[in-house]
Amino acid sequence: MKTKAPHLDSDTVGELDEVIRKRLLIDGDGAGDDRRINLLVKSFIKWCNSGSQEEGYSQYQRMLSTLSQCEFSMGKTLLVYDMNLREMENYEKIYKEIECSIAGAHEKIAECKKQILQAKRIRKNRQEYDALAKVIQHHPDRHETLKELEALGKELEHLSHIKESVEDKLELRRKQFHVLLSTIHELQQTLENDDKLSEVDETQESAMEADPKP
Amino acid sequence: MDHAAPSPVPLGQAEVSQALQRLHMTIFSQSVSPCGKFLAAGNNYGRIAIFSLSAALSSEAKEESKKPMVTFHAHDGPVYSMVSTDRHLLSAGDGEVKGWLWAEILKKGCKELWRRQPPYRTSLEVPEINALLLVPKENSLILAGGDCQLHTMDLETGTFTRALRGHTDYIHCLALRDRSPEVLSGGEDGAVRLWDLRIAKEVQTIEVYKHEECSRPHNGRWIGCLATDSDWMVCGGGPALTLWHLRSSTPTTVFPIRAPQKHVTFYQDLILSAGQGCCVNHWQLSGELKAQVPGSSPGLLSLSLNQQPAAPECKVLTASGNSCRVDVFTNLGYRAFSMSF
């Protein structure tokens, strides 16, 4: 039930706004709790002024029902208030949890960035290794080359042995020929000597024959 | 005044010449600041532009963040090469190397700190400097270029300590081998030479064009790009891009790309290369092409990976070449955006 509209001069306009705001806020439930209380007051007055017993009784019942309605709506408002408080707490909790998980995620990101750098270094090392390995592959295997070297070495030794033995044989032959030739020379010498000796003997004999005659 | 259709503005002389300049610009070199948030790019007009990587990569980047923060005139000729130490930016091009303070440049005060010229044999012509290399262990800078020699300059005193002779034609690129203090240089004569800095002599020569697997006589024998990862080296240019094992001087993998590559670098387990095509190629060490990401310039000359630990959010790959644009690849797989001069 509205009272008559107040005078709208400049002073009261501000107050009026405030009051209207407060009333609108309070009456959040809607459908006139305020109205009910005014009605209750009016019905109380009516009940006090009521005539008959029955009318009074019915008026009384009506008032009790209005009162219980008011109580009910107040209880509801209190429960809603409680609920809001608890929701706020819940939100605070969730907010803190999210902050923690954000900080955790930041740390994980930093950790992962370090890991990425490490992995990049590893990849770089692997690629360097691969690049060198490719170059090395072009050159022949060391074992094979060593084996070839060994075989060649053995052949060389073998051939040098043969060469040595051949040279020894050659030396021996040479020496034998030398001995042979020197023996032949000696024999020749001896024969010549013998010839000379026999010549000298003959001349000596002829000289001796001429001599012992006198 | 007609409000419906805007009247065409006549192009002034200045605008036309500016547009022509941008059309014919080539960005030869890049360098990241020690804090990792800025990128310097040097072009063929001798100007260096500083881009703010952190601004361009941030979520509220506008068109202006992709323009340079400051540009200044550095050399009379093209800026072929730049490196950064932890406080200075060193740039070289037309025979001189100049040093700039990063802190000064970022405050837009672009005055050179010093300029040095290596001792050239002939004083008539001034050969260009194609490559700069920092040797942190001995705090020196190596310059190489048109006079076929590698000059070492001590960064503390500014004196030129060594001149390594051996190349018969000009030198394109340098690379540093971390473990032993050795420098690799590749040049127009087709040979990659390893120099030991302690004895100042050439220790190994690899004549790339003499190996059948990688030589491409129709392209020439010049070595345009060089990168090394202690035991391994990748080089390319006239001959095909090849991965070499340094100890045995054998070519292990030839990467199947026809276009000559102008810049190559090792990154994690990949090899990134860029050259005549407009793409940045990602190779695996086994020779497989993992990805080919197109850039915006018709040919790429320089790649730069921002791996400064001070700015991990600006860890990007930037590529530049035959245009006024520097492409930024945030996740190596695609081109996020381009910054332009």
Side-chain angles (χ1 to χ4, degrees), chain B residues 31-307:
Chain B
S31 179
V32 178
S33 70
C35 60
K37 301 207 174 98
F38 301 95
L39 179 74
N43 70 3
N44 55 335
Y45 299 119
R47 297 184 68 81
I48 296 183
I50 310 287
F51 296 92
S52 168
L53 279 176
S54 48
L57 286 168
S58 70
S59 41
E60 62 269 323
K62 308 174 290 281
E63 271 311 302
E64 296 92 64
S65 343
K66 306 206 180 128
K67 289 270 165 200
M69 251 173 57
V70 55
T71 60
F72 55 95
H73 189 82
H75 289 265
D76 294 324
V79 183
Y80 285 124
S81 166
M82 291 198 290
V83 284
S84 285
T85 61
D86 49 0
R87 284 173 58 219
H88 298 92
L89 173 67
L90 308 168
S91 66
D94 53 353
E96 281 186 328
V97 58
K98 295 192 184 176
W100 317 77
L101 257 184
W102 267 108
E104 288 284 319
I105 297 176
L106 294 176
K107 285 189 241 155
K108 317 220 173 150
C110 308
K111 198 82 179 26
E112 76 203 29
L113 210 56
W114 46 261
R115 66 161 83 177
R116 308 279 303 143
Q117 195 181 68
Y120 294 122
R121 277 177 293 184
T122 63
S123 51
L124 292 168
E125 36 148 277
V126 179
E128 75 283 7
I129 298 180
N130 280 329
L132 290 176
L133 184 69
L134 275 176
V135 186
K137 279 198 193 139
E138 36 171 73
N139 197 21
S140 66
L141 178 73
I142 301 188
L143 308 97
D147 68 338
C148 319
Q149 292 176 55
L150 278 90
H151 295 276
T152 328
M153 183 181 102
D154 184 77
L155 281 172
E156 291 243 1
T157 59
T159 50
F160 288 93
T161 43
R162 307 180 195 98
L164 301 168
R165 259 162 252 183
H167 275 282
T168 53
D169 211 341
Y170 62 92
I171 302 173
H172 277 287
C173 44
L174 294 171
L176 181 68
R177 211 170 162 193
D178 280 330
R179 278 192 267 150
S180 39
E182 280 178 10
V183 175
L184 287 91
S185 60
E188 186 75 13
D189 57 356
V192 173
R193 293 176 204 270
L194 273 90
W195 311 85
D196 188 330
L197 289 173
R198 284 173 296 188
I199 58 177
K201 277 229 183 73
E202 188 177 327
V203 288
Q204 201 179 347
T205 312
I206 299 177
E207 299 195 288
V208 180
Y209 62 96
K210 287 200 176 149
H211 290 254
E212 269 181 57
E213 303 101 326
C214 45
S215 86
R216 298 190 296 198
H218 53 275
N219 272 345
R221 42 164 91 163
W222 51 280
I223 304 289
C225 56
L226 198 54
T228 179
D229 194 28
S230 35
D231 283 332
W232 300 81
M233 170 197 64
V234 62
C235 68
L241 189 67
T242 334
L243 179 69
W244 292 77
H245 185 239
L246 280 173
R247 299 271 271 334
S248 55
S249 299
T250 49
T252 55
T253 331
V254 176
F255 297 101
I257 183 167
R258 288 180 59 210
Q261 303 293 292
K262 305 276 177 67
H263 198 279
V264 71
T265 178
F266 280 91
Y267 173 63
Q268 288 182 350
D269 65 330
L270 295 175
I271 293 176
L272 307 174
S273 78
Q276 240 174 35
C278 59
C279 304
V280 177
N281 308 299
H282 300 224
W283 305 95
Q284 292 204 322
L285 285 168
S286 57
E288 287 167 39
L289 181 62
K290 184 169 166 218
Q292 216 171 20
V293 187
S296 68
S297 318
L300 290 171
L301 289 172
S302 143
L303 291 175
S304 160
L305 261 170
N306 180 2
Q307 284 176 315

Side-chain angles (χ1 to χ4, degrees), chain A residues 86-103:
Chain A
R86 264 184 283 175
E87 272 301 299
M88 281 282 287
E89 275 179 32
N90 197 18
Y91 282 146
E92 285 280 335
K93 200 167 66 147
I94 292 181
Y95 180 73
K96 283 207 184 74
E97 268 174 37
I98 290 183
E99 263 191 12
C100 281
S101 62
I102 285 181

